[in-house]
Amino acid sequence: MIDSVTEATNGVLTFTAISRAKGVYSEAEYNVHENERPLIDFNPDPGTCEPPMIFQPPALMTDADNEVWLGTWGKNPNWGGCSVWGSDTNEYYRKLGTIDYRARYGTLAAPLEIEDTSLEMILNQGDFTSADATSAKNGDTVMYIDGEALSYQTAELLDNGHWKLSGLVRGQFGSDPEYHPTGTQIARCDEAFLRSGLKNAYMARPFILNLPLLMCLAAWSSHSLTCRPIRLFQNPCRSCPRMWRC
């Protein structure tokens, strides 16, 4: 039985315990009960990676030759990202990088004509923020859709859950405005996408990507792609430092 507790000036507590014979005694001076401590689960189920969006953007958007962008996400709230490993043999892999954020991408809900300045899309998750005309012109809200880079000015969430992006600036970063049918994949190009430059030896041949989850290496998905060579232009245009001259 704890008889007394003494606290020293340095904060050390000294407990004095004595033995007592069985019997009836007065109530304890302090109520003693089990503490309810929160339980932290360090191994929650992270779920799986949703089918990723993989593409090669225009050269003016890249920082390396043969650059490939890859984005994915997980529906499970415990999803915390994934590693990306690549191989051209499906036997020996090397790590290309890590994805830490949920990427925003989806598909067109209606065709996008060459002259259109607005589009409607189905977004996988997240949302969009509107910007001013200057930001759109500078590519600060750049999207990628089947070879074309474009930026939007106004983002509006429709009643059917789709997103309408208007004030489009088409054919940016050296790309050309193109017709895109319904269902074409489209992505918001930001830091959520992993960017990796591949060796020339990997071009024009199947290249396999594995995406093991950071919290569960046993859960992974595999995807294959065939890349085309993309070279960075070497000479900057003197009249426009942000662009390049081939």
Side-chain angles (χ1 to χ4, degrees):
M1 173 182 290
I2 301 299
D3 183 67
S4 63
V5 180
T6 303
E7 182 177 2
T9 57
N10 60 358
V12 175
L13 298 177
T14 301
F15 293 83
T16 301
I18 59 177
S19 60
R20 293 284 182 91
K22 292 183 178 181
V24 179
Y25 299 93
S26 60
E27 294 183 0
E29 186 174 352
Y30 301 101
N31 182 28
V32 179
H33 57 83
E34 291 293 333
N35 291 327
E36 297 181 359
R37 297 182 176 88
L39 177 63
I40 300 177
D41 184 3
F42 292 97
N43 295 290
D45 179 12
T48 60
C49 288
E50 293 300 305
M53 181 167 179
I54 308 171
F55 60 91
Q56 290 183 268
L60 293 179
M61 291 178 62
T62 65
D63 297 318
D65 289 341
N66 309 324
E67 197 168 274
V68 173
W69 291 23
L70 186 148
T72 186
W73 65 293
K75 295 180 179 179
N76 193 306
N78 295 323
W79 187 88
C82 66
S83 298
V84 180
W85 296 74
S87 171
D88 62 334
T89 63
N90 199 26
E91 184 175 0
Y92 303 105
Y93 282 81
R94 69 181 183 92
K95 187 176 181 179
L96 302 181
T98 301
I99 293 176
D100 298 311
Y101 307 102
R102 288 174 166 86
R104 291 174 291 172
Y105 54 93
T107 56
L108 287 180
L112 180 63
E113 303 290 343
I114 295 178
E115 66 277 4
D116 285 347
T117 58
S118 66
L119 64 83
E120 183 178 337
M121 67 170 292
I122 303 171
L123 183 63
N124 62 336
Q125 59 84 35
D127 52 26
F128 291 116
T129 302
S130 298
D132 56 31
T134 301
S135 296
K137 183 178 179 180
N138 291 338
D140 296 337
T141 57
V142 64
M143 312 278 292
Y144 174 86
I145 175 170
D146 195 22
E148 180 185 353
L150 57 85
S151 293
Y152 67 88
Q153 180 177 346
T154 304
E156 178 186 0
L157 180 61
L158 304 179
D159 293 338
N160 58 5
H162 298 175
W163 281 90
K164 180 181 180 180
L165 305 180
S166 55
L168 300 181
V169 182
R170 306 286 301 274
Q172 292 184 306
F173 296 96
S175 65
D176 296 318
E178 300 284 351
Y179 166 78
H180 306 289
T182 301
T184 304
Q185 279 195 312
I186 180 171
R188 173 69 173 87
C189 302
D190 57 17
E191 68 279 358
F193 277 84
L194 172 67
R195 309 175 185 188
S196 179
L198 301 181
K199 297 179 180 179
N200 292 333
Y202 297 153
M203 297 299 101
R205 59 184 299 182
F207 190 74
I208 302 171
L209 297 170
N210 280 339
L211 280 63
L213 297 179
L214 294 179
M215 301 172 62
C216 180
L217 296 180
W220 55 273
S221 59
S222 181
H223 308 272
S224 179
L225 72 154
T226 301
C227 300
R228 69 185 191 281
I230 296 180
R231 297 287 183 270
L232 293 181
F233 301 135
Q234 300 300 320
N235 300 321
C237 175
R238 295 181 180 177
S239 63
C240 183
R242 298 193 58 181
M243 301 299 290
W244 295 82
R245 182 178 68 247
C246 60

